[in-house]
């Protein structure tokens, strides 16, 4: 049964000459699990927001949206609020109340549920989600993944027929993101709740969804089953495919859509019929690599207050000159705190820090550039131009020198914009230019790839590589293993406030079982040489011949 | 806490506090006030082993001494002169008065240390929302913004310190200027983010109709009993006050301090009212110790 539909839908934002959406014909059937993808600014968010009447998107809408056969405007607003549920991207900003219990009740109170109904429904949902331990906690103390689950639960309490999710996992770490997506699958399977999800990260979603809709420049490019979507994605938009599929497509001549693997299991099956050996190549990275220590931390202890648990304990770490080091690890292992110690924002209670061989008490902050997780916090002025001018003055650089840098990063056209009007990728680049005005020797990045789409991620990596070539050492805290695998020279793993291992990226990821890329999980312990990324497979694998295909 | 004093309905608990505070103010008799203070210390002990009261002990001690010393110096009314110090007469009435004020203040402070243990913020909000539902919602939203703002401000400070803009060093003028800039960023940023919060509120049907309210505190039979208990003893205290049985007359002539006849009866009523938490909470303690002994 058709649940939601749009007929020749057009939408234009006020004061904008371009249409945000053009001629959208679109329908969602009951029980669908639909993924909406596309590059940033393609109109995905606009489209899903139009389905939620309460959000009252400002702009001009032409065309009709129907819910259960009746125009959206003609439906009972009460019913719409109840039956169309929406989860947004940022877990933090969606939360309204102070405690988890209040948050769960918020929607039900709005819709006038009685006390007894609420009591019963909360009891049910708490049991289903396993929230017992969270119920009386403050919402500000939850982790990102928990917050997003509370948001989802709060909406599920209203008994929605359809759930619309706008990049719900963009701000979560990979494990929490995976949990969240599996939760959605469970809701779809067990309760038949229709799901429409906007997402860039399709690794898990490909095998779960039954429809994939691609949007580009406000138009629907295609609307297909995952199997059929493979062909449509291939060659131009590979980055959207699961890595397992990318690997297959990179090596197989005959690209049979029905054979393309989505998961590790399917991929292993495909590889079992292949004969692949290692091509002898010289590791360029290895050859040019010099092990000169730039920064050394020894036996660092840190705790926030006297009686709290130590965040860092007996931590030692060496950062080499000119490298790109990634610090990986789960939530609450002290990654961000370590970055703050390196940045000199916090002083350790025990331990030594050596910079360029000299023992120092605290890092000189002039030598360090720090790109925060949220680049918005970096800007103090109305336009980028003013910001850069102020920074230039501070660091004794002329406007011409500053402009050189702006040109190098292709930011000329954005100079007069307010920082908050920039997209996520642009904002990051803008902050990076500001940081580079200060000529840092060491650049610290805190979760730089959070919420970026695949295209922006690659672009960002290129920018960072060029910064690195100019002699800047880079230390990055990240959850994004796939990103680290592609670009980073060494990886450090943190566990319980200590760096337990620091190794070359490939060695590190090849040895790991759980904390590693999909490709590594596919190729590990198989008869083919282990690789960690598709690119590595492309350069290192030599395919002799195809064995009898058993797929 | 399903049993004990704290488990009663917030309105009953609130009434207890109102009754005791009113009692402390009208029962202006040294014995009544001293008894009240001692009782309240026990209430503190039984509720949280006196942890909260301990934080306030110097405050109470200092305040009491202050009042005890100063009242006789400044209060120059009375009939019985005890001493003359620097040509100022010290009256017995003034000393008794000082003692009573000190006891009243200490009593109120000791009562308030238990207030935060008994009437927790959610109970308070619950009562508040009954009277002003809209304001209560705004208050709850504001409560959530306090930790959020604090976290954002410290993030801004960290990021800006790395840029060389900080509130830690430099001239006072610069520090203040930077501080203002930070607040400005905090507000711009928070307003921007608040749009998303507003979206999330309206997506969950906020403002569509009158909100209902989750009754987290159901009225139980024992709430009625305790309500009657409090009302009965409060009435008794009011009667005692009206009959001057629980008040020490200082003027025109000083009454005898000793309690006589009916005054004893009102004192017992007064103590019974204050020690309500001791009975209800103590019952649980006793039950538990019997239970353990049986094992």
């Amino acid at each position: 049964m058709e649940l939601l539909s749009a007929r020749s839908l057009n939408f234009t934002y006020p004061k904008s000459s371009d249409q945000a959406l053009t001629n959208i014909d679109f329908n969602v059937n009951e029980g669908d699990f639909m993924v909406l993808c596309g590059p940033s600014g393609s109109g995905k968010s606009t489209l899903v927001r139009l389905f939620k009447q309460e959000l009252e998107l400002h702009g001009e809408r032409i065309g009709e949206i129907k819910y259960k056969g009746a125009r959206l405007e003609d439906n009972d607003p009460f019913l719409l609020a109840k039956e169309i549920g929406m989860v947004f991207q940022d877990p933090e900003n969606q939360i309204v109340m102070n405690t988890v219990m209040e948050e769960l009740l918020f929607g039900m109170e709005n819709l006038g549920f009685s006390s007894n109904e609420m009591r019963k429904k909360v009891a049910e949902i708490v049991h289903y989600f396993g929230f017992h331990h969270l119920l009386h906690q403050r919402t500000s103390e939850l982790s990102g993944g928990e917050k997003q689950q509370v948001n989802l639960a709060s909406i599920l309490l209203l008994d929605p027929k359809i759930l619309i999710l706008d990049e719900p996992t963009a701000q979560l770490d990979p494990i929490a993101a995976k949990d969240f997506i599996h939760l959605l699958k469970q809701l779809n399977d067990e309760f038949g709740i229709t799901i429409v999800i906007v997402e860039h990260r399709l690794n898990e979603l490909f095998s779960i969804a039954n429809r994939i809709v691609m949007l580009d420049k406000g138009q629907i490019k295609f609307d297909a089953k995952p199997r059929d979507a493979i062909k449509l994605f291939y060659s131009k938009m590979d980055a959207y495919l699961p890595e397992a599929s990318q690997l297959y497509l990179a090596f197989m001549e005959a690209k049979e859509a029905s054979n393309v693997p989505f998961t590790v299991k399917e991929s292993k099956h495909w590889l079992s019929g292949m004969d692949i050996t290692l091509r002898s190549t010289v590791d360029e990275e290895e050859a040019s690599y010099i092990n000169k220590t730039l920064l050394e931390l020894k036996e660092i202890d840190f705790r926030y207050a006297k009686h709290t648990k130590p965040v860092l304990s007996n931590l030692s770490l060496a950062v080499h000159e000119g490298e790109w080091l990634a610090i990986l690890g789960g939530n609450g292992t002290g990654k961000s705190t370590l970055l703050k110690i390196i940045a000199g924002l916090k002083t350790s209670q025990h331990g030594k820090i050596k910079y360029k061989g000299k023992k120092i008490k605290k890092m000189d902050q002039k030598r360090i550039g720090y790109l925060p997780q949220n680049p918005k916090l970096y800007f103090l002025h109305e336009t980028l131009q003013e910001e850069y001018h102020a920074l230039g003055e501070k660091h004794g650089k002329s406007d011409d020198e500053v402009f050189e840098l702006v040109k190098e990063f292709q930011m000329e056209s954005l100079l007069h914009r307010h920082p908050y009007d920039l997209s996520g990728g642009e904002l990051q680049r803008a902050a990076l230019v500001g940081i580079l005005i200060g000529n840092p020797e060491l650049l610290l990045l805190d979760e730089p790839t959070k919420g970026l789409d695949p295209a922006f991620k690659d672009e960002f990596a290129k920018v960072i590589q060029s910064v690195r070539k100019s002699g800047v050492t880079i230390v990055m805290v990240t959850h994004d293993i796939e990103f680290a695998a592609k670009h980073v020279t060494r990886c450090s793993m943190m566990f319980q406030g200590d760096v337990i291992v620091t190794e070359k990226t490939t060695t590190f990821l090849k040895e790991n079982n759980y904390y590693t890329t999909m490709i590594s999980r596919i190729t590990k312990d198989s008869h083919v040489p282990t690789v960690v990324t598709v690119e590595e497979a492309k350069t290192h694998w030599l395919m002799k011949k195809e064995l009898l295909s058993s797929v | 806490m399903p049993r004990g004093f704290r488990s009663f309905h917030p309105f009953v608990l609130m009434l207890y506090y109102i009754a005791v505070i009113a009692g402390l103010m009208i029962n202006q008799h040294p014995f009544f006030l001293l008894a009240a203070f001692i009782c309240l210390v026990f209430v503190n002990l039984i509720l949280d082993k006196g942890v909260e009261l301990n934080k306030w002990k110097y405050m109470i001690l200092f305040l009491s001494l202050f009042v005890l010393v100063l009242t006789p110096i400044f209060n120059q009314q009375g009939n019985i002169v005890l001493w003359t110090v620097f040509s100022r007469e010290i009256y017995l009435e003034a000393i008794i008065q000082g003692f009573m004020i000190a006891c009243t203040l200490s009593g109120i402070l000791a009562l308030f240390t238990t207030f935060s243990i008994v009437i927790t913020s959610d109970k308070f909000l619950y009562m508040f929302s009954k009277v002003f539902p809209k304001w209560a919602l705004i208050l709850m939203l504001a409560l959530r913004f306090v930790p959020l703002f604090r976290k954002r401000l410290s993030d801004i400070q960290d990021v800006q310190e790395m840029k060389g803009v900080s509130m830690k060093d430099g001239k006072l003028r610069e520090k203040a200027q930077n501080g203002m800039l930070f607040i400005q960023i905090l507000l711009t940023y928070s307003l921007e983010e608040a749009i998303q919060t507003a979206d999330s509120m309206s997506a969950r049907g906020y403002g569509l109709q009158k909100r209902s309210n989750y009754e987290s505190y159901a009225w139980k039979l024992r709430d009625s009993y305790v309500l009657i208990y409090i009302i009965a003893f409060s009435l008794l205290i009011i009667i005692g006050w009206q009959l001057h049985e629980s008040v020490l007359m200082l003027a025109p002539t000083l009454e005898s301090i000793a309690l006589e006849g009916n005054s004893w009866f009102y004192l017992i009523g007064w103590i019974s009212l204050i020690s309500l938490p001791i009975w209800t909470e103590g019952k649980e303690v006793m039950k538990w110790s019997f239970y353990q002994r049986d094992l």
Side-chain angles (χ1 to χ4, degrees):
Chain A
M1 197 186 104
E2 199 175 75
L3 212 54
L4 255 184
S5 64
R7 291 284 157 265
S8 48
L9 184 69
N10 289 278
F11 188 80
T12 320
Y13 279 106
K15 291 188 205 156
S16 162
S17 49
D18 305 325
Q19 277 192 321
L21 295 171
T22 338
N23 269 330
I24 302 279
D25 278 304
F26 180 81
N27 68 306
V28 184
N29 297 322
E30 207 169 339
D32 267 354
F33 194 120
M34 176 190 277
V35 178
L36 213 59
C37 60
S40 293
S42 58
K44 311 176 299 269
S45 293
T46 313
L47 179 61
V48 292
R49 268 151 204 265
L50 281 175
F51 289 138
K52 191 75 183 146
Q53 198 180 230
E54 296 87 352
L55 299 183
E56 289 174 28
L57 225 49
H58 289 286
E60 195 193 352
R61 196 189 95 188
I62 307 167
E64 266 179 2
I65 301 174
K66 284 181 172 173
Y67 178 67
K68 286 185 176 167
R71 290 198 318 150
L72 213 54
E73 297 82 354
D74 299 340
N75 271 291
D76 177 13
F78 176 83
L79 200 77
L80 285 182
K82 200 169 163 323
E83 297 198 343
I84 305 180
M86 185 143 182
V87 178
F88 301 86
Q89 180 180 17
D90 193 309
E92 179 101 55
N93 291 334
Q94 286 173 74
I95 290 182
V96 180
M97 301 306 251
N98 199 20
T99 71
V100 173
M101 182 69 175
E102 287 164 1
E103 183 66 24
L104 292 176
L105 295 170
F106 179 77
M108 290 193 290
E109 287 181 333
N110 285 338
L111 297 181
F113 284 55
S114 75
S115 244
N116 266 336
E117 258 178 300
M118 288 194 240
R119 213 180 292 269
K120 196 176 131 230
K121 291 182 80 86
V122 166
E124 269 189 300
I125 207 96
V126 164
H127 189 70
Y128 188 77
F129 277 77
F131 276 165
H132 308 271
H133 58 299
L134 298 180
L135 207 53
H136 294 290
Q137 262 194 43
R138 286 185 191 288
T139 44
S140 55
E141 286 161 7
L142 304 181
S143 73
E146 286 167 343
K147 278 182 193 151
Q148 204 61 308
Q149 288 194 4
V150 169
N151 287 325
L152 181 64
S154 170
I155 284 152
L156 284 175
L157 284 166
L158 305 178
D159 298 321
K161 294 269 174 293
I162 178 165
L163 266 180
I164 299 174
L165 305 107
D166 189 3
E167 298 188 34
T169 65
Q171 306 288 325
L172 307 185
D173 69 70
I175 311 252
K178 212 178 276 182
D179 284 349
F180 189 81
I181 285 180
H182 285 288
L183 193 59
L184 292 179
K185 177 178 158 52
Q186 210 177 330
L187 292 173
N188 182 252
D189 285 347
E190 292 177 10
F191 303 98
I193 296 176
T194 310
I195 286 169
V196 176
I197 178 170
V198 174
E199 196 57 87
H200 316 293
R201 228 183 345 199
L202 303 185
N203 253 354
E204 275 91 35
L205 284 172
F206 239 87
S207 54
I208 295 172
N210 71 339
R211 278 169 73 190
I212 292 188
V213 177
M214 172 88 184
L215 234 70
D216 194 17
K217 298 194 182 80
Q219 282 174 308
I220 290 186
K221 274 197 107 171
F222 59 77
D223 176 351
K225 289 203 173 81
R227 286 257 163 242
D228 304 325
I230 296 257
K231 238 182 294 171
L232 301 161
F233 273 123
Y234 178 62
S235 84
K236 271 172 268 139
M237 289 168 292
D238 273 357
Y240 284 99
L241 294 173
E243 289 187 309
S245 314
Q246 286 182 36
L247 188 68
Y248 174 92
L249 292 167
F251 284 94
M252 295 305 278
E253 289 296 328
K255 296 172 183 7
E256 278 297 317
S258 56
N259 291 343
V260 177
F262 292 159
T263 61
V264 171
K265 192 169 92 178
E266 288 167 10
S267 236
K268 282 203 167 207
H269 188 57
W270 158 63
L271 276 178
S272 67
M274 307 291 289
D275 185 8
I276 292 167
T277 51
L278 206 59
R279 184 183 292 174
S280 55
T281 48
V282 189
D283 202 326
E284 294 163 37
E285 197 75 50
E286 191 97 51
S288 64
Y289 201 64
I290 326 154
N291 283 354
K292 203 174 154 206
T293 307
L294 178 75
L295 172 74
E296 203 179 355
L297 304 176
K298 260 195 181 153
E299 295 170 8
I300 298 286
D301 289 353
F302 182 79
R303 56 180 78 199
Y304 279 95
K306 201 175 168 188
H307 296 292
T308 54
K309 228 175 71 190
V311 185
L312 302 177
S313 60
N314 204 25
L315 175 143
S316 298
L317 174 74
V319 180
H320 297 166
E321 207 165 318
E323 75 169 337
W324 184 350
L325 176 74
I327 297 170
L328 303 161
N331 277 329
T333 47
K335 299 193 303 291
S336 297
T337 311
L338 174 60
L339 217 54
K340 281 183 181 165
I341 298 259
I342 296 178
L345 288 169
K346 295 269 184 293
T347 320
S348 62
Q349 281 109 23
H350 182 268
K352 282 184 225 154
I353 302 176
K354 271 186 181 172
Y355 188 73
K356 290 188 169 166
K358 263 188 222 141
K359 202 178 139 190
I360 48 166
K361 268 216 128 135
K362 204 179 146 189
M363 282 297 289
D364 179 7
Q365 292 175 338
K366 286 195 185 98
R367 297 170 190 268
I368 300 178
Y370 174 62
L371 182 67
Q373 214 178 95
N374 188 345
K376 274 184 186 171
L377 304 178
Y378 184 83
F379 298 93
L380 288 174
H381 298 273
E382 295 282 308
T383 65
L384 294 186
Q385 175 116 46
E386 283 173 45
E387 187 75 42
Y388 294 156
H389 178 74
L391 280 166
E393 245 172 26
K394 186 161 243 126
H395 295 286
K397 278 199 174 175
S398 69
D399 280 355
D400 290 338
E401 279 175 290
V402 171
F403 193 69
E404 278 298 301
L405 208 61
V406 170
K407 262 207 316 218
E408 200 185 316
F409 286 90
Q410 295 145 21
M411 300 292 296
E412 304 101 306
S413 57
L414 305 172
L415 270 179
H416 297 285
R417 297 266 286 275
H418 191 281
Y420 288 16
D421 294 337
L422 304 177
S423 75
E426 288 168 342
L427 194 67
Q428 221 163 29
R429 218 153 27 129
L432 203 58
V433 171
I435 291 164
L436 291 177
I437 290 175
N439 280 338
E441 292 169 4
L442 180 63
L443 180 60
L444 307 176
L445 310 172
D446 194 357
E447 303 269 4
T449 57
K450 228 178 195 182
L452 293 188
D453 73 11
F456 267 123
K457 265 189 211 174
D458 285 344
E459 205 178 310
F460 179 74
K462 266 186 222 148
V463 171
I464 294 294
Q465 288 291 11
S466 77
V467 172
R468 196 184 141 212
K469 278 213 184 83
S470 69
V472 180
T473 307
I474 292 152
V475 176
M476 169 175 82
V477 162
T478 190
H479 279 303
D480 195 337
I481 303 166
E482 259 83 30
F483 183 78
K486 275 187 201 160
H487 307 287
V488 163
T489 46
R490 289 197 310 158
C491 290
S492 288
M493 177 86 170
M494 280 196 79
F495 181 64
Q496 299 203 322
D498 189 10
V499 172
I500 46 167
V501 64
T502 305
E503 277 178 331
K504 263 188 67 196
T505 308
T506 42
T507 339
F508 174 78
L509 292 173
K510 270 177 197 167
E511 280 172 10
N512 284 359
N513 282 323
Y514 300 99
Y515 215 84
T516 186
T517 59
M518 200 176 193
I519 301 292
S520 167
R521 271 179 280 149
I522 291 168
T523 54
K524 195 175 154 61
D525 298 331
S526 64
H527 67 283
V528 299
T530 311
V531 287
V532 295
T533 62
V534 179
E535 278 75 32
E536 196 190 349
K538 277 183 193 163
T539 52
H540 288 223
W541 277 8
L542 191 66
M543 190 170 301
K544 277 191 176 156
K545 61 178 194 320
E546 229 171 291
L547 297 182
L548 269 175
S549 180
S550 56
V551 184
Chain B
M1 184 104 13
R3 304 272 178 270
F5 183 60
R6 274 161 280 193
S7 68
F8 291 115
H9 196 275
F11 279 113
V12 174
L13 295 175
M14 201 63 198
L15 191 69
Y16 167 79
Y17 280 97
I18 294 171
V20 174
I21 284 198
L24 278 169
M25 300 209 205
I26 62 176
N27 288 340
Q28 289 297 323
H29 190 291
F31 287 156
F32 275 74
L33 290 168
L34 190 63
F37 179 68
I38 293 168
C39 268
L40 285 168
V41 170
F42 277 110
V43 170
N44 263 293
L45 287 175
I46 206 148
L47 281 175
D48 72 336
K49 299 195 172 71
V51 174
E52 200 67 26
L53 185 66
N54 205 24
K55 293 181 197 162
W56 287 83
K57 65 178 178 215
Y58 291 112
M59 179 74 178
I60 292 173
L61 218 65
F62 180 73
L63 207 68
S64 305
L65 274 174
F66 194 72
V67 173
L68 272 176
V69 173
L70 288 188
T71 322
I73 295 178
F74 288 105
N75 192 342
Q76 294 288 310
Q77 281 164 347
N79 298 318
I80 308 161
V81 180
L82 288 183
W83 309 284
T84 311
V85 185
F86 300 118
S87 75
R88 259 183 182 272
E89 280 104 13
I90 304 290
Y91 294 95
L92 177 63
E93 283 93 337
I95 289 179
I96 294 173
Q97 174 106 55
F99 178 78
M100 290 198 296
I101 298 177
C103 274
T104 310
L105 286 176
S106 316
I108 290 176
L109 278 173
L111 184 68
F112 266 105
T113 53
T114 65
F115 189 79
S116 61
I117 309 168
V118 174
I119 311 251
T120 47
S121 59
D122 46 329
K123 281 185 204 159
F124 188 76
L125 269 172
Y126 168 77
M127 283 185 286
F128 193 63
S129 69
K130 285 278 147 187
V131 195
F132 307 106
K134 279 199 177 143
W135 285 100
L137 185 72
I138 290 172
L139 191 69
M140 276 194 251
L141 291 177
L143 274 181
R144 144 136 176 82
F145 272 98
V146 174
L148 205 62
F149 269 36
R150 201 177 290 160
K151 186 180 164 290
R152 282 178 187 161
L153 190 62
S154 92
D155 284 351
I156 292 172
Q157 276 173 330
D158 280 357
V159 172
Q160 295 299 330
E161 194 185 327
M162 295 308 295
K163 265 172 78 184
V165 186
S166 94
M167 282 164 64
K168 284 183 188 157
D169 36 43
K171 289 191 199 110
L172 187 69
R173 205 182 120 82
E174 276 173 33
K175 275 197 247 180
Q177 224 165 21
N178 290 340
M180 284 312 288
L181 266 177
F182 292 173
I183 299 287
Q184 188 188 325
I185 297 292
L186 175 69
L187 292 181
T188 336
Y189 175 68
S190 298
L191 279 179
E192 177 103 356
E193 303 290 294
I195 297 173
Q196 294 174 36
T197 312
D199 274 352
S200 141
M201 284 171 78
S202 49
R204 278 180 284 169
Y206 179 73
L208 276 182
Q209 61 175 89
K210 201 174 174 301
R211 299 184 86 226
S212 60
N213 206 315
Y214 179 70
E215 296 270 347
S216 27
Y217 304 96
W219 189 269
K220 293 170 291 263
L221 190 61
R222 56 204 191 89
D223 291 317
S224 308
Y225 291 150
V226 173
L227 186 68
I228 293 168
Y229 182 98
I230 294 173
I231 290 175
F233 283 109
S234 302
L235 283 176
L236 190 74
I237 287 161
I238 292 172
I239 294 167
W241 170 57
Q242 284 295 323
L243 295 175
H244 297 293
E245 294 282 358
S246 60
V247 182
L248 182 74
M249 301 295 277
L250 296 168
T253 49
L254 183 64
E255 259 187 321
S256 156
I257 283 184
L259 292 171
E260 288 158 358
N262 282 343
S263 286
W264 282 104
F265 171 69
Y266 292 107
L267 181 64
I268 289 169
W270 171 226
I271 292 174
S272 311
L273 175 69
I274 303 178
S275 43
L276 175 66
I278 305 181
W279 315 138
T280 45
E281 205 66 25
K283 202 175 89 189
E284 296 309 308
V285 177
M286 299 279 272
K287 260 202 252 171
W288 183 243
S289 61
F290 279 130
Y291 176 72
Q292 277 190 323
R293 196 178 301 162
D294 285 349
L295 285 178

